[in-house]
Amino acid sequence: MDLSRTLTGFGAALLATALLAAPAEAGAPGDTPSTRDFGNGPERNEVAAVDSIASQSARTLPAEEPASTWSLRKRKGYPRQTSLPVWPANPEDRSIKLGLVPYHEIAPKLNALQQASDRVSAEIIGKSAGGRDLYLVTVTAPESAGETARQDHWRELIEDHPAAAKRDRALRAGYKAPVWINANIHGNEWEGTDGALRVIERLATATDPATKDFLEHSRVYLTVTNNPDGRVAGTRANGAGFDVNRDHATSTQPESRAVRDVVIGTQPFVMLDEHGYTGTTLIEPATAPHGQNYEYDLYIKHALPNALGMEKAVQQLGLPETAAADIPFRDYAPGDWDDWPPIFTPMYAMYHGAIGHTVEIPLRVNNADYNNLPVEELRRRARINTDVAAATIEAALTYTGTNRATLLADQIEQFRRGWAGEPSPTIPDGFVPGFGPEDRFSTTFPRAYVIPAGTPAAARLVDHLIANDVRVTRARHDFTANGKRYQDGTYIVDMHQPKRGLANVLLEAGRDISDLVPQMYDISGWSHGLLWGARVDASPRTLPHVRTSPVTRATPTGSVDAPRGRDLTLSLRDGNDVRAVNELLAQGVKLRRTDASTIVVPAEARPEATALAKTLGVRFTAAPRGVKGDVLDQPVIAGAVSADELFALKEMGFTVQTVSTAVLNAGFDLSGVDTLIVSSGLSYTALNATARATVDAFLARGGGVITRGATGAAFNAAAKVLPATAVAGRGDANGVVTVNNEGPVVGAGSPAHSFVYSPIWFTGTGFTVEQRYGADPLVAGHWLPTSAGVNGPAQAAGQAAVISGATAGGGNAVLFGTEPLFRAHPKGLYAGYARALFWTAG
């Protein structure tokens, strides 16, 4: 790997400031390396969410992952043609200005192609956050129902019985190579859709023998727009304010769940995720650090030559803007364009056997350029971008057709290694041109994971694993493993399974990679095993000796364990417990609270409690006789929060009135509000005199406050909420950290791990420490000091991560230096945040 090239300004920007800088605009073609839109930029702290689609799309934290509504396996052949509903014309669709296909024209185009060609099938695989149809197009030579059933059988054989698949001559000769193209996952990166539509039309209508032969030996699957809400609105995020290309480990959004089901169902050999805009076309494979759970030798042997083929195809367009392309593996330094986390679509697809590539088309047409450039120039750029997208797709199809046999053999080998439990091989230097020690990442897979049952968190985690095609079994009797006793019904993840890499990347603690690279693009730690609230025990060397049964859905966990006529208690340990409390309050049930985490439900509300125990998996127990407690009312919340925080709050059943600096300056009335949350888009110093007086009056009457992050810390300092001084770690520092729980609110029963992004800690006196960072806080992730010995993990060790206290007006406040609701991922931290909300609301 040539380490001489780096992204211009990339590492320097991260090292210099706690807020991530905006990417530089491209100059003349090829005069700078590609630039990248940052994954978690300042907008998360600066732009407050608006209560629109986000309020509608947040779903209850289920005890079970929602079942897939789409499946490739059907008792019919190809084509599978569907008359897609046509959406009303929308003149406000932002793609129109660029001369691109607006969303409302996609269905008519696909309907026309289905009518014109028996090679094209189109179907709806789900709905976006805003309710728009998500389309999947399949292009292949016609198949009878029997031929399709044979393809289904072979696909399952490859995953379930790879040794048999390897021996099957008919499979080797007749299995159609699957390719998946995902376009427009970022809504304002439009042209992947148009390039995909161009390729569909060519494949549908071409009469040359080469195309006919290719389609007889391949299936091409295309999700033509993965983010129709963003396409129409001209936003990177979907209608709920989420970056869908950060959601593949968590699956909060319908768009990510839809393509999760597509990649599992189609099991592609090769996949492309079409993005933009980087100044120079960029084609993965990526730089180190490489995900340590990949079978990286099987990946890079195809990814690099496929990228070279795509680069050549782009150059052959013959335009000055396409004369060069960047391949990060070849051209960039480690950390400048990594593939470490499983949150990106191509990286997630790699765990399902795909050779995944992000493709970045070159010429920017979004953001400020969309508004400032002449329409003619925007359309010129969009035409070139469409040419680039189509060229990369065509080149990937060519690579797949040419290398079908080895792609098949290597997907079989990936799944075989998983079943056999073999260590991933050590890859020698020079395995492909440029492969060196900096590219060598691996892990030791445990023999199994053990997940005790009986909690909503365990059920949620197990159902999430199953939804992601990880195999889980259930113990049929009590057993002992590694000196611990487990009850019957305990879940076991046998790591001798085809997608062991995915199982491990979700369940393992992760790794501190701070010393390996100077910066990372996005999150570097995410452990479901540590952050989702379930107990997860690794069994390093032995599979528990117990009879098991396969699990297709977690066992329901809810119960009401109390005699009839007895008051009930509910302990706030999970987001579903919080949801149950909010549901009861919404139904008019009179609740009481004995402490921050214990809720008393009157005996007469037993029917309501029983219903919630069934739907949410929560457990009610008998309250001590004569217990009293304080009345708990439904909190009235005003929140200047990010979109992901708003989503998480609504998952837990809270009603939030969204506010911001602008909303308060426009006269928003805080007089009826119990708690003000400040984490994004609210600056006390930017308030006008009237709005500042409103906030001051709110605090003076004892209004509650919750803050998070740099924006919250600035609000605390300016409004003098608590006498604490915030100290900030590096702006890109992130990961899973250990915490010591000390306080009576957030610290009451919270997990021993938390999550940080741009970590903060608090110094001073006059407050209660709820959580402290551990003695060696970073478990997994990337956190370097801002300079030698300054604001790194060593300096944060033992410092206050979350604090609570009384304000001068007699209200309650909680300040978070951690990220308990980040991207709606750390489910195990939800209850601690909710306890803070109820406590600050009084």
Side-chain angles (χ1 to χ4, degrees):
M1 182 180 292
D2 180 359
L3 302 187
S4 64
R5 294 190 67 190
T6 61
L7 288 169
T8 302
F10 186 84
L14 292 178
L15 289 167
T17 178
L19 292 178
L20 301 181
E25 293 296 318
D31 69 352
T32 63
S34 300
T35 58
R36 191 175 196 178
D37 282 339
F38 292 100
N40 185 44
E43 71 281 351
R44 190 165 181 273
N45 289 322
E46 295 177 359
V47 180
V50 177
D51 190 3
S52 55
I53 291 176
S55 66
Q56 303 163 22
S57 60
R59 56 190 174 94
T60 301
L61 277 167
E64 309 86 23
E65 185 81 12
S68 171
T69 57
W70 175 84
S71 172
L72 184 68
R73 192 179 180 101
K74 299 173 183 175
R75 293 184 178 179
K76 52 195 307 188
Y78 282 93
R80 299 174 177 180
Q81 296 180 331
T82 304
S83 180
L84 301 173
V86 175
W87 286 71
N90 180 2
E92 301 302 315
D93 189 309
R94 303 275 280 184
S95 58
I96 294 173
K97 181 178 180 179
L98 303 174
L100 301 173
V101 178
Y103 175 74
H104 58 263
E105 289 184 6
I106 294 175
K109 282 184 175 293
L110 296 179
N111 285 339
L113 285 167
Q114 289 183 103
Q115 292 176 357
S117 174
D118 61 2
R119 299 171 177 175
V120 179
S121 304
E123 57 189 310
I124 295 169
I125 56 170
K127 298 281 188 180
S128 70
R132 294 181 173 91
D133 294 331
L134 301 172
Y135 306 121
L136 175 69
V137 177
T138 305
V139 188
T140 192
E143 300 170 12
S144 68
E147 289 169 331
T148 298
R150 187 179 303 113
Q151 293 290 324
D152 291 340
H153 168 70
W154 282 337
R155 183 179 61 254
E156 292 168 1
L157 195 70
I158 289 167
E159 180 181 349
D160 296 344
H161 303 285
K166 184 177 181 179
R167 295 190 302 266
D168 193 321
R169 293 182 180 179
L171 184 155
R172 295 200 305 271
Y175 185 60
K176 288 188 170 184
V179 184
W180 173 38
I181 310 299
N182 192 47
N184 200 203
I185 192 170
H186 290 149
N188 63 352
E189 299 167 11
W190 289 273
E191 295 92 339
T193 294
D194 299 79
L197 289 170
R198 182 185 296 178
V199 173
I200 293 168
E201 184 169 2
R202 187 195 71 77
L203 294 175
T205 59
T207 58
D208 61 286
T211 300
K212 182 175 182 293
D213 180 72
F214 173 77
L215 293 176
E216 287 175 348
H217 293 88
S218 308
R219 285 189 191 162
V220 183
Y221 303 99
L222 306 98
T223 38
V224 292
T225 172
N226 191 196
N227 183 2
D229 300 341
R231 184 176 188 82
V232 171
T235 59
R236 178 183 179 94
N238 72 347
F242 271 72
D243 186 332
V244 182
N245 201 40
R246 304 295 181 271
D247 194 45
H248 287 291
T250 311
S251 303
T252 67
Q253 299 303 296
E255 296 90 346
S256 62
R257 294 195 294 273
V259 296
R260 172 197 68 191
D261 295 341
V262 167
V263 71
I264 292 171
T266 63
Q267 205 167 290
F269 290 171
V270 172
M271 78 82 54
L272 304 186
D273 203 25
E274 294 283 346
H275 287 257
Y277 306 95
T278 47
T280 300
T281 300
L282 182 145
I283 306 164
E284 289 177 343
T287 71
H290 307 299
Q292 62 186 12
N293 290 284
Y294 300 140
E295 301 298 330
Y296 196 73
D297 61 319
L298 302 178
Y299 169 75
I300 195 61
K301 67 182 285 190
H302 292 290
L304 184 57
N306 191 23
L308 293 170
M310 288 187 271
E311 176 186 49
K312 183 177 180 181
V314 170
Q315 292 171 334
Q316 287 176 342
L317 292 172
L319 301 170
E321 295 87 350
T322 64
D326 290 331
I327 299 174
F329 178 86
R330 179 190 67 189
D331 299 330
Y332 295 161
D336 279 349
W337 195 285
D338 66 272
D339 59 18
W340 179 255
I343 59 176
F344 310 120
T345 317
M347 283 68 257
Y348 176 76
M350 287 162 63
Y351 292 108
H352 295 282
I355 309 302
H357 301 260
T358 298
V359 174
E360 298 274 355
I361 55 182
L363 304 178
R364 186 174 297 279
V365 296
N366 63 3
N367 301 338
D369 286 332
Y370 185 94
N371 296 317
N372 297 332
L373 290 177
V375 171
E376 295 78 8
E377 172 61 13
L378 288 172
R379 293 190 173 190
R380 185 191 73 84
R381 293 185 178 194
R383 287 193 297 271
I384 294 171
N385 288 337
T386 301
D387 291 343
V388 171
T392 56
I393 295 169
E394 293 280 12
L397 299 185
T398 298
Y399 183 87
T400 303
T402 303
N403 296 277
R404 173 187 163 279
T406 52
L407 286 164
L408 169 61
D410 289 335
Q411 189 178 81
I412 290 172
E413 172 63 9
Q414 176 171 335
F415 296 148
R416 187 202 66 79
R417 289 180 188 175
W419 280 115
E422 291 182 3
S424 299
T426 300
I427 307 174
D429 290 354
F431 178 75
V432 297
F435 186 94
E438 72 279 6
D439 294 302
R440 194 172 292 115
F441 288 81
S442 62
T443 192
T444 299
F445 295 103
R447 183 61 184 84
Y449 285 98
V450 182
I451 306 173
T455 65
R460 183 183 306 114
L461 178 58
V462 165
D463 283 317
H464 185 70
L465 293 171
I466 294 168
N468 284 276
D469 205 27
V470 173
R471 295 159 194 240
V472 183
T473 61
R474 181 185 293 110
R476 297 172 63 179
H477 53 81
D478 295 356
F479 65 97
T480 300
N482 301 300
K484 299 176 182 176
R485 191 68 177 164
Y486 297 94
Q487 295 181 338
D488 70 302
T490 294
Y491 301 107
I492 298 171
V493 180
D494 183 346
M495 290 295 287
H496 286 192
Q497 61 171 290
K499 297 180 180 177
R500 64 171 180 183
L502 182 57
N504 208 48
V505 80
L506 297 179
L507 293 174
E508 70 174 346
R511 179 176 177 181
D512 178 357
I513 58 171
S514 304
D515 293 337
L516 302 179
V517 290
Q519 76 279 320
M520 291 285 286
Y521 170 53
D522 208 279
I523 64 168
S524 308
W526 53 84
S527 174
H528 296 60
L530 297 180
L531 295 179
W532 272 40
R535 176 182 160 192
V536 178
D537 297 335
S539 180
R541 289 176 294 278
T542 59
L543 179 69
H545 184 68
V546 59
R547 288 185 300 158
T548 62
S549 301
V551 178
T552 58
R553 185 175 180 179
T555 302
T557 59
S559 63
V560 178
D561 299 334
R564 292 190 178 275
R566 189 82 168 267
D567 286 351
L568 310 173
T569 59
L570 178 63
S571 183
L572 300 183
R573 293 289 184 264
D574 184 83
N576 274 19
D577 298 324
V578 179
R579 181 80 189 205
V581 169
N582 281 320
E583 294 281 355
L584 290 169
L585 289 170
Q587 295 173 39
V589 176
K590 304 298 183 183
L591 303 180
R592 289 166 288 148
R593 182 179 56 189
T594 59
D595 56 38
S597 61
T598 306
I599 307 299
V600 179
V601 181
E604 57 268 24
R606 186 184 184 100
E608 291 88 345
T610 301
L612 291 168
K614 182 177 180 180
T615 59
L616 297 178
V618 299
R619 184 181 178 217
F620 295 87
T621 58
R625 294 188 184 279
V627 67
K628 299 297 183 185
D630 299 325
V631 172
L632 178 66
D633 295 319
Q634 189 113 42
V636 179
I637 303 165
V641 295
S642 58
D644 54 338
E645 290 173 309
L646 179 61
F647 186 94
L649 287 164
K650 290 181 179 297
E651 278 190 300
M652 291 184 282
F654 290 107
T655 299
V656 182
Q657 302 174 67
T658 54
V659 297
S660 63
T661 302
V663 170
L664 289 176
N665 282 341
F668 185 88
D669 183 8
L670 290 173
S671 62
V673 170
D674 296 319
T675 293
L676 175 64
I677 307 174
V678 181
S679 60
S680 182
L682 176 53
S683 168
Y684 181 86
T685 57
L687 296 174
N688 60 34
T690 302
R692 193 175 297 186
T694 298
V695 172
D696 291 344
F698 169 80
L699 294 172
R701 70 167 172 82
V705 175
I706 290 179
T707 74
R708 187 271 307 163
T711 296
F715 179 87
N716 176 70
K720 298 179 172 55
V721 179
L722 292 183
T725 299
V727 180
R730 214 172 85 160
D732 65 331
N734 72 87
V736 181
V737 294
T738 59
V739 291
N740 297 320
N741 291 299
E742 299 179 8
V745 182
V746 178
S750 285
H753 295 88
S754 190
F755 182 81
V756 295
Y757 199 116
S758 303
I760 285 174
W761 54 98
F762 301 98
T763 62
T765 59
F767 51 77
T768 297
V769 176
E770 293 284 340
Q771 286 183 335
R772 294 185 187 275
Y773 290 110
D776 185 13
L778 189 64
V779 174
H782 188 273
W783 183 354
L784 290 173
T786 54
S787 59
V790 178
N791 296 350
Q795 289 70 48
Q799 298 294 329
V802 182
I803 63 174
S804 65
T807 68
N812 293 330
V814 176
L815 313 186
F816 285 90
T818 57
E819 288 277 358
L821 305 182
F822 186 83
R823 295 180 185 165
H825 176 69
K827 310 295 187 187
L829 310 184
Y830 278 22
Y833 190 95
R835 292 195 298 271
L837 248 181
F838 286 129
W839 182 71
T840 57

